[in-house]
Amino acid sequence: MSTVYKLKPEQVTESLVVLYAPHREAQATKFVEAFGGQALVIRPQQTLDLTSLDPDKHLALVFDEAVSLQSTGPKPPGPVFVAFEGNAMVHRLKHGGGKGEQVAKAVGLSKVSGDRQLTVLDATAGLGRDSLILAALGCSVTMFERNPAVRELLQDGLDRASIASDVTDVVERMSLRKEDFISASSDIEDESFDVVYLDPMFPDRSKTALVKKEMRVFKQLIGGDEDADELFEPAYRISKHRVVVKRPKAAPFLANKTPSLQIKGKSGRFDIYTKKAF
Ligand SMILES: C[S@@+](CC[C@H](N)C(=O)[O-])C[C@H]1O[C@@H](n2cnc3c(N)ncnc32)[C@H](O)[C@@H]1O
């Protein structure tokens, strides 16, 4: 029997700790090879107590039944992963209950006739929640995500959903480009998508933002998307009808551009930049 080697917290200097179940070894290894930053790989014959690590310094990426991000330190919140299947809201949206959703109004779905499929480019896909809503409402969605760890979660969510019968048709309308939208945009033609959707991270330092586990790991992993203003110009050029920017309530306009319309919600708003009517 092979001995299990227990790692001590002081041996962990890397900010990202990667753990994997044996059946996920190839995927985890591929991720680490491609990952630009510092990552420590914990092999199945090693153990590490994640609760003994400093939660402000270390985050874990776990390849198991799902791929998830896990905070470290004592009493960490639960793992963050993508689950598109079994979602009651998607079920409702698929069956015609969603044109009143704020994001649906923001992209202009109420302005197009039932059989027209809008093409949406989601330049900042994250965990794909907004893209999922738009795809459930019938849009064809092309997602861009530049963070390698977030991409693993998103791809894993798409893979599981593609074999889950309740959402197979929805995720067939979603595709993922594992690239930075700003650099990739030069190869995308003018007005080639009906709508471009932007939801970059905003450097919000309020405590409420830290309450949500998704926010906590995203802040740690990504920070504040400091170059977010650079998304605006290519997004505007590539969109045919409008650019939609999701923003926290108190955030300034993206790239200092005043929107043509706004939809305000409880905690956030959509700034809409219209070009041509639908
Ligand atoms: C706030 S999250 C988006 C959440 C998403 N709307 C959802 O519903 O799950 C922002 C994401 O955009 C990504 N991002 C920011 N700038 C990007 C860029 N230039 N190209 C691709 N992805 C980008 C970040 O890595 C992060 O995952």
Side-chain angles (χ1 to χ4, degrees):
M1 216 175 80
S2 61
T3 44
V4 173
Y5 175 59
K6 193 160 192 273
L7 282 156
K8 297 191 182 78
E10 55 273 23
Q11 291 174 285
V12 183
T13 52
E14 296 81 353
S15 50
L16 189 69
V17 178
V18 176
L19 299 101
Y20 60 86
H23 72 284
R24 290 277 203 168
E25 179 169 9
Q27 196 184 352
T29 309
K30 202 167 153 206
F31 167 80
V32 175
E33 279 167 10
F35 182 65
Q38 280 189 306
L40 171 71
V41 186
I42 310 293
R43 300 180 199 292
Q45 60 273 34
Q46 296 173 315
T47 63
L48 172 67
D49 178 9
L50 292 178
T51 65
S52 66
L53 298 180
D54 179 347
D56 294 330
K57 293 199 180 126
H58 309 283
L59 191 64
L61 178 66
V62 183
F63 291 79
D64 203 336
E65 285 320 309
V67 181
S68 63
L69 280 164
Q70 174 72 66
S71 294
T72 60
K75 297 205 186 133
V80 172
F81 58 96
V82 174
F84 292 139
E85 63 278 13
N87 182 319
M89 177 155 72
V90 170
H91 184 81
R92 184 169 59 81
L93 299 181
K94 265 174 69 172
H95 296 92
K99 291 216 169 165
E101 289 292 327
Q102 282 197 333
V103 61
K105 283 194 193 150
V107 298
L109 271 170
S110 54
K111 299 193 184 303
V112 297
S113 63
D115 49 356
R116 175 164 167 202
Q117 187 180 55
L118 283 187
T119 54
V120 179
L121 186 156
D122 179 353
T124 55
L127 298 176
R129 289 163 296 195
D130 292 325
S131 282
L132 178 73
I133 294 176
L134 293 170
L137 287 165
C139 300
S140 156
V141 187
T142 302
M143 304 179 283
F144 280 77
E145 176 52 54
R146 69 176 170 188
N147 183 279
V150 177
R151 286 197 303 234
E152 290 292 327
L153 266 64
L154 195 47
Q155 183 64 59
D156 174 63
L158 288 170
D159 291 347
R160 270 179 293 112
S162 68
I163 47 169
S165 56
D166 65 328
V167 280
T168 316
D169 55 338
V170 175
V171 295
E172 268 172 9
R173 290 192 284 273
M174 299 167 75
S175 61
L176 172 59
R177 285 187 55 176
K178 298 176 179 176
E179 290 171 274
D180 182 315
F181 170 71
I182 299 167
S183 5
S185 63
S186 54
D187 294 333
I188 307 175
E189 280 182 30
D190 294 1
E191 303 197 350
S192 50
F193 286 83
D194 292 321
V195 178
V196 177
Y197 184 81
L198 306 173
D199 176 21
M201 295 286 288
F202 179 69
D204 172 10
R205 297 179 219 297
S206 73
K207 286 207 173 109
T208 44
L210 293 178
V211 174
K212 276 193 157 182
K213 60 182 180 182
E214 286 85 2
M215 268 297 170
R216 185 160 148 183
V217 295
F218 263 57
K219 291 257 178 244
Q220 200 169 343
L221 196 65
I222 293 162
D225 282 337
E226 306 294 340
D227 58 350
D229 283 350
E230 291 173 40
L231 292 162
F232 189 84
E233 286 306 332
Y236 196 77
R237 179 181 64 73
I238 287 162
S239 68
K240 192 168 178 186
H241 296 288
R242 56 176 65 184
V243 174
V244 176
V245 185
K246 190 179 184 181
R247 297 249 89 185
K249 210 175 188 174
F253 298 137
L254 188 69
N256 225 356
K257 305 275 185 200
T258 307
S260 348
L261 302 166
Q262 278 191 310
I263 297 179
K264 290 184 180 168
K266 263 185 263 151
S267 57
R269 58 170 211 263
F270 293 101
D271 294 342
I272 301 159
Y273 301 84
T274 54
K275 284 176 87 174
K276 250 182 249 165
F278 284 103

